[in-house]
Amino acid sequence: MNRERIIVRTSIAGIIVNVFLSGFKAFVGIASNSIAITLDAVNNLSDALSSVVTIIGAKLAGKSPNKKHPLGYGRIEYLSSMIVAAIVLYAGLTSLVESVKKIIRPEKAEYTSLSLIILGVAIVAKIILGLYVKRTGKRIDSSALTASGIDALFDAVLSASVLLSAVAYLVFSISLESYVGLVISFFIIKSGIEMLCETLDDIIGKRTDSDLSRQVKKLITEESEIRGAYDLIINNYGPNKNYASIHIELPDTMTVEEVDRLTRRIEAKVYRKTGIVLSGVGVYSFNTHDDEAARIRNEVQKIVLSHDWALQLHGFYVDTEAKKIRFDVVLSFDIKSTEAVSILTKEVHDAYADYTLEITPDIDLG
């Protein structure tokens, strides 16, 4: 709830500032017949609308879990970010059309000292707003706020270019404003596309942050019984709502009771340190009292890792009496899993023809 209040409060501040800036710029743009300043006003108005969407998204995302949606509504924030990106993209395309019209049919601009002062104040206001919104978004992990903050800082740069074009017109009588408006349009469109792609990555599901992955695995392997942690998958259900599953490698001598106590301990530890809920902990066993098994493991590992596309071997276990070998292999995206398993099965079987093989391909999750 505190996070939601921060998002709403910050967005309201953005709405107030952008509405005022839009009104001032629109007045100056119409009075001076400047397409660049008018488009800058439209851009501020789209920013205000984006903040409204962010507030609605935060309110909906903050709804409590229920029977239909037991993991909550956090992903709605990603949808609101997508709408914000679409608004920015639309504003950019509209600006592009208007700028081209003014290049084809140019109109003389008439700047005043007051208009230049208003532009200067608007630039300073946008810089302050951008830094505040971006810092707040980073602090509470809100992609919508962070994107709005970056967009505001970018708007300050664009407003500065409008101011420079006005100064150039007054000093050198060179009219650049239509072309500046065109440049602004391209930058707004670029910003909208980047925001859209980033939000789509969150919705589709992107690779786990490598630093976070290493942190989680380090916390788990600090336990003396655990030889390795593998296959970490982190599913995101909105900002600060992460559920994960992982495999841990344990000695084949541990009892179910010991495994139960250990998994509960690491679940509590990971949640306390990272806020991630370990919803599933799978177990691999490794041989502890069989020298022959250790020798076979070393040989099989050499065979498997001789291929560039085989990144890691884990979960290895061999039953020398039943003549069975099983292991997982992490594959790069350069080869199909069926092809890789076929190659490895043949090569390992050539070395251990009397053993039954069970090879499980894993995705390179990072």
Side-chain angles (χ1 to χ4, degrees):
M1 291 301 295
N2 183 53
R3 180 178 182 275
E4 180 187 321
R5 282 198 298 269
I6 293 172
I7 291 175
V8 172
R9 184 183 64 199
T10 306
S11 298
I12 289 175
I15 291 170
I16 293 171
V17 172
N18 279 306
V19 167
F20 273 107
L21 290 178
S22 179
F24 281 124
K25 288 181 181 179
F27 172 76
V28 173
I30 294 171
S32 62
N33 197 29
S34 169
I35 180 63
I37 297 178
T38 303
L39 292 180
D40 210 13
V42 172
N43 188 32
N44 284 140
L45 195 60
S46 73
D47 290 344
L49 181 57
S50 298
S51 295
V52 172
V53 173
T54 300
I55 291 174
I56 295 172
K59 287 288 186 183
L60 293 175
K63 290 176 61 179
S64 300
N66 53 37
K67 186 175 181 180
K68 188 174 183 180
H69 300 283
L71 295 174
Y73 292 79
R75 284 180 174 173
I76 287 179
E77 272 201 34
Y78 300 142
L79 296 178
S80 66
S81 297
M82 183 175 288
I83 294 172
V84 169
I87 291 171
V88 172
L89 192 57
Y90 175 76
L93 292 172
T94 303
S95 300
L96 178 64
V97 172
E98 293 301 320
S99 295
V100 171
K101 286 181 180 178
K102 288 293 182 179
I103 290 174
I104 295 173
R105 295 179 181 176
E107 295 180 10
K108 185 178 179 181
E110 297 177 359
Y111 297 106
T112 64
S113 299
L114 178 61
S115 65
L116 298 183
I117 292 171
I118 290 175
L119 276 179
V121 171
I123 293 168
V124 174
K126 265 295 189 177
I127 291 173
I128 294 172
L129 177 66
L131 291 173
Y132 168 65
V133 174
K134 181 183 176 183
R135 184 171 63 248
T136 304
K138 291 286 187 182
R139 179 164 58 86
I140 64 172
D141 190 25
S142 170
S143 58
L145 279 186
T146 303
S148 295
I150 293 172
D151 188 45
L153 290 172
F154 191 63
D155 289 346
V157 175
L158 298 181
S159 296
S161 67
V162 173
L163 180 59
L164 289 174
S165 70
V167 172
Y169 180 77
L170 291 174
V171 176
F172 304 106
S173 299
I174 301 174
S175 180
L176 300 173
E177 61 149 30
S178 297
Y179 297 96
V180 170
L182 190 65
V183 172
I184 290 174
S185 302
F186 282 123
F187 277 113
I188 294 173
I189 291 170
K190 178 177 179 291
S191 178
I193 292 173
E194 288 175 350
M195 290 168 63
L196 193 62
C197 290
E198 186 175 340
T199 306
L200 281 173
D201 284 342
D202 287 325
I203 293 173
I204 294 170
K206 57 186 178 182
R207 192 180 189 87
T208 301
D209 178 72
S210 58
D211 291 336
L212 179 60
S213 178
R214 282 193 295 268
Q215 182 187 4
V216 172
K217 290 178 180 178
K218 182 176 182 295
L219 288 171
I220 291 173
T221 53
E222 285 174 351
E223 303 293 329
S224 58
E225 302 95 332
I226 299 175
R227 188 164 79 171
Y230 311 99
D231 310 327
L232 175 65
I233 298 176
I234 300 178
N235 296 306
N236 177 260
Y237 290 90
N240 303 323
K241 294 181 181 178
N242 294 311
Y243 294 79
S245 62
I246 197 165
H247 279 101
I248 56 176
E249 199 163 23
L250 301 174
D252 56 5
T253 54
M254 289 186 71
T255 65
V256 173
E257 181 185 2
E258 290 171 333
V259 173
D260 180 49
R261 286 202 304 267
L262 175 63
T263 54
R264 288 175 187 272
R265 190 162 68 244
I266 62 174
E267 285 168 2
K269 183 181 182 181
V270 169
Y271 181 74
R272 188 172 64 253
K273 297 285 187 178
T274 68
I276 295 173
V277 177
L278 276 182
S279 55
V281 180
V283 175
Y284 294 130
S285 60
F286 64 85
N287 303 94
T288 55
H289 300 299
D290 193 333
D291 293 337
E292 176 65 10
R295 185 189 65 78
I296 293 174
R297 175 193 169 90
N298 290 337
E299 290 297 324
V300 170
Q301 185 164 283
K302 287 179 183 177
I303 294 171
V304 172
L305 298 184
S306 65
H307 299 283
D308 292 337
W309 39 260
L311 305 179
Q312 185 189 74
L313 180 146
H314 59 258
F316 186 92
Y317 193 84
V318 58
D319 188 332
T320 53
E321 292 185 3
K323 299 295 183 181
K324 291 182 179 180
I325 296 174
R326 65 175 183 267
F327 61 87
D328 289 20
V329 58
V330 178
L331 303 173
S332 74
F333 292 97
D334 298 328
I335 190 170
K336 292 182 179 179
S337 58
T338 51
E339 181 184 352
V341 170
S342 177
I343 293 171
L344 295 177
T345 299
K346 181 181 183 305
E347 292 180 352
V348 176
H349 193 266
D350 287 345
Y352 297 96
D354 52 341
Y355 277 81
T356 302
L357 301 178
E358 183 183 335
I359 303 175
T360 302
D362 284 342
I363 301 172
D364 177 20
L365 298 171

